Amino acid sequence: EAGVVQSPRYKIIEKKQPVAFWCNPISGHNTLYWYRQNLGQGPELLIRYENEEAVDDSQLPKDRFSAERLKGVDSTLKIQPAELGDSAVYLCASSRTSEDEQYFGPGTRLTVT
Amino acid sequence: EDQVTQSPEALRLQEGESSSLNCSYTVSGLRGLFWYRQDPGKGPEFLFTLYSAGEEKEKERLKATLTKKESFLHITAPKPEDSATYLCAVQEVRGSQGNLIFGKGTKLSVKP
């Protein structure tokens, strides 16, 4: 069974530029999560989807971050414009339901210069 | 206030030297406690889920246990390939179902 796929793996951009991350969850997983992980810290949730509905986006900085999950499968997380403090690893995870264990992708390491 | 605290932050062991990692939590109602392993440059890898005090789960050299306030990850006779950061996360009964609250992790190094 294929795992969670994320792209790109690495991204370097200048501040104020836009950036987008893509995630393909495990087949059959209805719940999709985006996390941000800073160096030396655990992942912190940004947004959770149940199928195509964003059911928890309370931690998403909505002034510059946006996300979508079209047709309840793939998802895209966008930052516009990026700031220096956005440098981190962005992780996508999926689970069968919100109560099941989550499986993580390899992450996208974002560097904002 | 941290809801999930892991200790120690870093642990260096000799191959074969058994030890334990600690995860203490403060949530009003625990639905589940999760252990993950994270290698450098990779996403967290699921290890165990524990749901109730007294529960234990094992996988190779790892055994996870749960009490009402903390969980332990016991590593028996570790090998260098067990070197990684071990993350603990809790899922609350109330509030946002499904959301995991992670600790900062314990970085384990096992020397041959």
Side-chain angles (χ1 to χ4, degrees):
Chain A
E1 180 180 80
V4 176
V5 180
Q6 289 189 248
S7 68
R9 290 296 315 279
Y10 306 92
K11 190 73 176 179
I12 301 174
I13 61 172
E14 294 183 346
K15 62 181 180 181
K16 301 184 181 180
Q17 294 301 305
V19 64
F21 314 123
W22 175 81
C23 172
N24 178 244
I26 293 173
S27 178
H29 282 196
N30 296 321
T31 309
L32 183 146
Y33 312 77
W34 282 103
Y35 288 86
R36 177 167 59 189
Q37 186 175 27
N38 292 307
L39 190 64
Q41 305 291 316
E44 294 179 323
L45 182 73
L46 292 173
I47 189 169
R48 173 168 64 98
Y49 282 92
E50 297 288 351
N51 297 303
E52 64 272 14
E53 182 183 0
V55 296
D56 187 350
D57 62 355
S58 57
Q59 301 304 311
L60 190 72
K62 298 181 183 62
D63 56 336
R64 299 183 299 107
F65 286 65
S66 64
E68 61 182 6
R69 190 183 185 195
L70 299 177
K71 300 181 181 179
V73 181
D74 295 358
S75 178
T76 303
L77 178 68
K78 298 179 181 178
I79 307 175
Q80 182 172 10
E83 297 179 352
L84 294 176
D86 296 330
S87 295
V89 175
Y90 290 82
L91 293 162
C92 179
S94 70
S95 59
R96 290 191 184 277
T97 73
S98 61
E99 298 182 350
D100 293 315
E101 65 273 12
Q102 298 175 25
Y103 293 88
F104 285 79
T108 298
R109 180 176 296 277
L110 173 67
T111 301
V112 182
T113 63
Chain B
E1 178 185 341
D2 288 343
Q3 294 178 279
V4 182
T5 304
Q6 292 189 246
S7 61
E9 291 185 6
L11 181 62
R12 301 182 69 174
L13 300 174
Q14 288 296 126
E15 185 172 3
E17 179 186 3
S18 301
S19 189
S20 295
L21 312 182
N22 177 263
C23 172
S24 62
Y25 60 91
T26 53
V27 294
S28 57
L30 180 72
R31 195 195 155 275
L33 185 140
F34 299 76
W35 281 99
Y36 284 84
R37 168 190 171 131
Q38 187 170 27
D39 292 295
K42 296 187 177 181
E45 175 189 348
F46 171 73
L47 294 173
F48 305 109
T49 309
L50 302 168
Y51 294 103
S52 56
E55 187 175 1
E56 298 183 353
K57 288 192 176 175
E58 290 188 63
K59 180 180 180 180
E60 296 181 352
R61 295 176 292 282
L62 301 177
K63 183 171 78 172
T65 62
L66 180 65
T67 72
K68 289 186 177 180
K69 293 185 177 181
E70 58 192 350
S71 176
F72 292 93
L73 185 64
H74 308 276
I75 303 176
T76 302
K79 298 182 178 181
E81 52 262 43
D82 294 323
S83 297
T85 295
Y86 290 85
L87 294 165
C88 167
V90 299
Q91 195 176 55
E92 293 186 273
V93 169
R94 65 173 181 84
S96 299
Q97 280 192 330
N99 294 354
L100 293 180
I101 304 168
F102 280 87
K104 295 181 179 180
T106 292
K107 184 175 182 179
L108 174 66
S109 298
V110 182
K111 302 299 182 184

